[in-house]
Amino acid sequence: MAKKTIDQNINQDKLSKSAYSLFDFTKKEKPFLIVICILVSIAGLITSYTYAAMWFGFALAAYSAIANDSIQTIGTFIASNQNRKWYWLWLFMGLIFVGTVTYSWFAFNGDVSYQRLSVPGLEKAPESFVFLQLAAPIVLLIMTRLRMPVSTTFLLLNVFTYKAGTILEVMKKSFLGYLLAFFVAIIVWYAIERLVKDYLKGEAKPYWTVLQWITSGTLWAVWIMQDAANIAVFLPRQLSVVEFIVYAGFVFVGIGFLFYVKGDKIQGIVNEKSNVTDVRAATIVDFVYAIILFYFKIYSNVPMSTTWVFIGLLGGRELAIALGKVGKEKKRKELVTRAYRLAKNDVVKAFIGLLVSLILAVVINEGVRNEIIEMLNF
């Protein structure tokens, strides 16, 4: 009887902590939650008005995708340039965005996605919308606020994909990207920790800043080539001049706001990793990440989750740094445990986003449901 009472007290204590955490979150995030309620209401009202829904969905997707994915591309850039004015960082990255999508628009006859939306299952622009398609970027905004590194590729593209086979191809390419990034990161950073770490000590030379801006700009351009599809999926596959100006202009302004708020809360995922504020570490992270993304860009036109590649890169890097430490065994084990915990937390959060996107895809698209039923032989 006493044991049962103790168990009840423990459960009540856990429930009380959960209830308090929910209350505390609601209190702290009241303005944000009011904005979410307004966005949900607007989405419900304009769903049946296709043209308005298209641009509303695009606006939400543009900000939510870049805000969530900012940790991959400009996260280390922000972390290592905290002493610089935000508007210089914005102009640098913003103009690279405009230049990159302009090239795609000219080269691919109005397509700003570098043909990522030309694959079967995504090649058709939406002719009408359902509420859950407009709700997907709102869900992404909430997850971003909760510091969850969600795959925008899964969450935004899956709700428009009408073929389950396309979803499986995207997942396969993304998981392959995670594994490749994880093991490449272990090799690169283990070598750095054991062989050349002495060259990365002390005050960074001025040329490191130049190298970091070059690698960050290159990474940003390659990321746009991969993930511009996540934003453009709401829009026609060939944009007119006016549509392109609205598209590029809105994202350009959104990038500026993101730099103004210094990456917002999800930036903490980058800041909690080892030494990312050091310009040299940030440069190496961006360089390796850019190479991996470029490889997958030429590998196939199938979209992929750059989020999974990035968390694989950071996870492998943390583990390599821990394994490369020379010193007491106890300290080394603590670092390995910390690296494992950080990698596990990122993967769990990314899996939650994947699960949400699959549920939305199955609920929204009859073609996806039918294919899954056939695959399972129901």
Side-chain angles (χ1 to χ4, degrees), residues 51-52 54-63 66 97-98 101-102 105 110 112 231-232 234-236 239-255:
Y51 194 73
M54 177 184 76
W55 285 106
F56 177 75
F58 154 74
L60 288 177
Y63 182 75
I66 292 177
F97 169 81
V98 172
V101 295
T102 300
W105 186 70
V112 294
I231 303 170
F234 284 87
L235 303 177
L239 300 183
S240 66
V241 174
V242 174
E243 289 171 337
F244 174 73
I245 291 173
V246 174
Y247 166 83
F250 183 87
V251 177
F252 181 77
V253 173
I255 294 170

Side-chain angles (χ1 to χ4, degrees), residues 153-172:
T153 300
F154 290 147
L155 194 55
L156 296 179
L157 293 190
N158 282 358
V159 298
F160 289 97
T161 306
Y162 59 86
K163 294 183 65 177
T166 302
I167 295 176
L168 292 176
E169 286 299 314
V170 173
M171 290 173 60
K172 183 170 70 173

Side-chain angles (χ1 to χ4, degrees), residues 143-214:
M143 290 183 164
T144 301
R145 195 72 174 182
L146 294 172
R147 293 180 53 189
M148 299 179 70
V150 182
S151 168
T152 57
T153 300
F154 290 147
L155 194 55
L156 296 179
L157 293 190
N158 282 358
V159 298
F160 289 97
T161 306
Y162 59 86
K163 294 183 65 177
T166 302
I167 295 176
L168 292 176
E169 286 299 314
V170 173
M171 290 173 60
K172 183 170 70 173
K173 187 176 179 182
S174 300
F175 294 155
L176 178 61
Y178 177 89
L179 292 174
L180 179 63
F182 185 82
F183 288 109
V184 167
I186 290 177
I187 295 170
V188 170
W189 271 276
Y190 187 81
I192 289 173
E193 194 67 25
R194 301 289 287 193
L195 302 177
V196 299
K197 65 177 181 178
D198 290 338
Y199 294 98
L200 302 178
K201 289 182 178 180
E203 191 72 22
K205 301 293 184 182
Y207 65 80
W208 274 105
T209 300
V210 177
L211 287 175
Q212 199 237 352
W213 280 57
I214 293 173

